[in-house]
Amino acid sequence: MDKIVITGGKALRGTVQISGAKNSALPILASTILGGEECTITNVPRVVDVVTMGRLLGILGASVRHEGNRAVIRAEVIKSTQAPYELVKTMRASVLVLGPLLARWGQATVSLPGGCAIGSRPVNMHLAGLAKLGAEVSVEHGYIHAKAKRLKGASIYCDVPTVTGTENLMMAASLAQGTTVIENAAKEPEIVDLADFLTKRGARIAGAGTDIISIEGVRELRGSDHEVIPDRIEAGTYLIAGAITRGSVTVDRCRPDHLEPLVAKLREAGIAVRVEKESVQLDATKSGRLRGVDVRTLPFPGFPTDMQAQMAALMSVAGGTSVITETVFESRFMHVEELKRMGADIRVEGNRLVITGRDRLTGAPVMASDLRASAGLILAGLAAEGTTEVLRVYHLDRGYEGIEEKLRGLGAVIERCKA
Ligand code: EPU
């Protein structure tokens, strides 16, 4: 098992190129099996979750070719309609094949994802939505079983906006008979990216990016090419790397409009941020002590829960007290005890973190517990005095393409070694 060793205290400087969004690539890859023609997806990040999705599509019978950042998929025939526990337990996003399998092949058996480090994460709304579309849905022996001759359009209201739930329903409804309306749909940019891809293939979708999406089902989808949007969470993580080390970092090839909630908070903290068409430049070299700011995670366009751990690391070295309220997942605070080992002053009060900024953090061995918690610990290590060892970095490899190389490119002293 690998660990990452960081010698902190160096101000990062330079430009980093942002990769394609993991959380866009995953549903887009899953959706390729909605039709039999070849699809070529570009700007696919080379991260472990993408490899896992490729393996899953392969098990189902699709031919999958990865060529660098391009994936070529063709799902003319299907060998299996089952997503096994062995894969789903390593990646919850495997549940994204449920809608496409059911819509195209009339049946799907997908292992029920278990609990995970950030909360209980049920999939009840995915299942209730598919049942509304006319599927027979049951859960037995740890597996979701869904069956339907042909799905029928329906009106679906989501109790809370769910990202992968909206994606599953949008994919399933694309091949249903008649019109589906999803109300209180998730509005994340990744939903819009999936809708754009499906539309290129002949799907009829209106309203993606708003909270009401309507989908008029079609008989079949054709093949198409598509370029995945830039990863807003990766871009945000590198912006905080610049901020926490008092450096000056430009994130290039990103979508600044997807970064607005973070940019607003960085400015409020006293950091100079300039937004260009496809890049964001951050300069914290002359900022003095950062101001502590309060943050509340919310569905898009609110502040993303996937940036909460990174923001907690930044606030650990800001001036005064800041309060971070997590409203999306109930227990996404696994990074807190590790940040405390590095000297952070954080109190957990229910779903809130009360952070009193310290002048400095000190390097320590710490353990990563999930993808974004790992990113938070790496950021803290970049700012801390001395050496930080981040153990269990396989979490990080699930979602950040070439993170050590990118950070080294900005001047960080970071290496990967065997734990
Ligand atoms: N929820 C339900 N029932 C459902 C589905 C969701 O109660 O059937 C609740 C969840 O428990 C949670 C809230 O709804 O409280 C929102 O969860 P959502 O379903 O939106 O999360 P997700 O689709 O499982 C995606 C991302 C996550 C990201 C969340 C929130 C992918 C593959 N995953 O998860 O990304 O945190 O949306 O934005 O898109 C990550 O990349 O590190 C990551 C965890």
Side-chain angles (χ1 to χ4, degrees):
M1 217 183 278
D2 292 349
K3 65 180 176 186
I4 283 184
V5 182
I6 304 161
T7 307
K10 192 143 189 291
L12 300 193
R13 281 172 197 276
T15 299
V16 58
Q17 306 294 328
I18 299 309
S19 298
K22 165 187 82 91
N23 288 348
S24 241
L26 293 175
I28 285 171
L29 291 173
S31 77
T32 58
I33 63 170
L34 279 166
E37 291 181 9
E38 190 167 278
C39 295
T40 301
I41 315 299
T42 53
N43 205 28
V44 176
R46 280 165 300 172
V47 295
V48 171
D49 273 6
V50 161
V51 174
T52 308
M53 182 57 84
R55 272 179 56 207
L56 174 55
L57 298 181
I59 289 175
L60 302 179
S63 94
V64 182
R65 236 170 43 237
H66 290 281
E67 299 159 353
N69 290 108
R70 167 202 297 260
V72 183
I73 298 125
R74 190 186 187 100
E76 225 165 343
V77 286
I78 278 290
K79 284 199 304 243
S80 159
T81 52
Q82 175 159 338
Y85 178 62
E86 288 63 41
L87 274 186
V88 181
K89 75 170 190 235
T90 65
M91 184 182 71
R92 300 179 57 83
S94 309
V95 77
L96 285 165
V97 298
L98 179 60
L101 278 176
L102 177 65
R104 175 137 176 251
W105 304 96
Q107 57 177 20
T109 305
V110 174
S111 171
L112 190 66
C116 82
I118 66 176
S120 70
R121 301 183 76 183
V123 290
N124 58 311
M125 281 187 275
H126 302 229
L127 306 191
L130 293 175
K132 277 263 180 150
L133 295 175
E136 255 177 64
V137 183
S138 63
V139 177
E140 275 165 40
H141 306 295
Y143 277 83
I144 304 162
H145 299 270
K147 247 188 0 205
K149 266 219 171 72
R150 184 165 181 209
L151 295 172
K152 288 201 173 58
S155 175
I156 302 169
Y157 176 83
C158 300
D159 294 343
V160 291
T162 153
V163 176
T164 49
T166 302
E167 290 163 350
N168 241 334
L169 297 174
M170 203 163 71
M171 292 187 281
S174 293
L175 291 185
Q177 186 181 23
T179 302
T180 299
V181 178
I182 308 174
E183 282 186 73
N184 201 21
K187 297 185 282 197
E188 270 63 6
E190 293 76 19
I191 308 266
V192 178
D193 203 21
L194 173 64
D196 286 347
F197 175 54
L198 294 174
T199 303
K200 283 186 198 166
R201 300 176 68 193
R204 299 204 185 123
I205 302 176
T210 75
D211 53 11
I212 302 183
I213 304 180
S214 65
I215 306 124
E216 201 186 310
V218 296
R219 268 277 166 203
E220 55 182 19
L221 296 183
R222 51 181 178 267
S224 177
D225 297 352
H226 186 75
E227 183 181 334
V228 173
I229 56 167
D231 196 311
R232 63 196 166 101
I233 307 301
E234 189 201 23
T237 303
Y238 287 109
L239 286 176
I240 293 194
I244 203 168
T245 61
R246 303 307 172 79
S248 100
V249 165
T250 299
V251 295
D252 195 20
R253 272 198 345 226
C254 68
R255 283 279 302 262
D257 54 326
H258 295 166
L259 293 167
E260 278 169 14
L262 174 67
V263 166
K265 285 293 156 187
L266 292 173
R267 285 181 174 149
E268 200 182 319
I271 301 163
V273 184
R274 221 171 85 191
V275 171
E276 304 283 350
K277 196 159 164 265
E278 285 189 354
S279 66
V280 177
Q281 298 166 13
L282 172 145
D283 186 356
T285 53
K286 301 177 204 78
S287 306
R289 187 91 200 261
L290 305 185
R291 278 192 292 275
V293 294
D294 294 343
V295 172
R296 194 179 177 82
T297 68
L298 285 168
F300 192 83
F303 190 93
T305 172
D306 289 345
M307 286 301 301
Q308 182 256 108
Q310 300 89 315
M311 199 64 185
L314 181 63
M315 289 300 102
S316 297
V317 292
T321 301
S322 51
V323 177
I324 298 186
T325 310
E326 173 59 63
T327 76
V328 179
F329 291 111
E330 80 264 26
S331 60
R332 200 173 196 177
F333 288 147
M334 304 283 277
H335 44 287
V336 169
E337 291 308 313
E338 305 300 306
L339 288 174
K340 281 187 182 171
R341 304 193 64 251
M342 301 177 71
D345 181 348
I346 308 179
R347 214 170 59 239
V348 182
E349 288 181 355
N351 69 338
R352 301 190 320 166
L353 300 181
V354 181
I355 306 176
T356 306
R358 307 291 297 261
D359 287 340
R360 61 187 185 108
L361 297 176
T362 51
V366 289
M367 192 89 88
S369 55
D370 78 72
L371 172 57
R372 308 305 172 184
S374 316
L377 297 176
I378 298 273
L379 294 174
L382 291 170
E385 200 180 279
T387 304
T388 296
E389 290 191 353
V390 183
L391 305 175
R392 297 207 183 150
V393 290
Y394 55 86
H395 291 294
L396 205 63
D397 297 334
R398 291 188 33 219
Y400 285 91
E401 183 174 60
I403 188 165
E404 303 109 83
E405 289 78 17
K406 289 189 183 188
L407 285 172
R408 265 200 298 270
L410 297 172
V413 183
I414 179 169
E415 61 183 51
R416 180 181 290 247
C417 21
K418 293 275 166 237

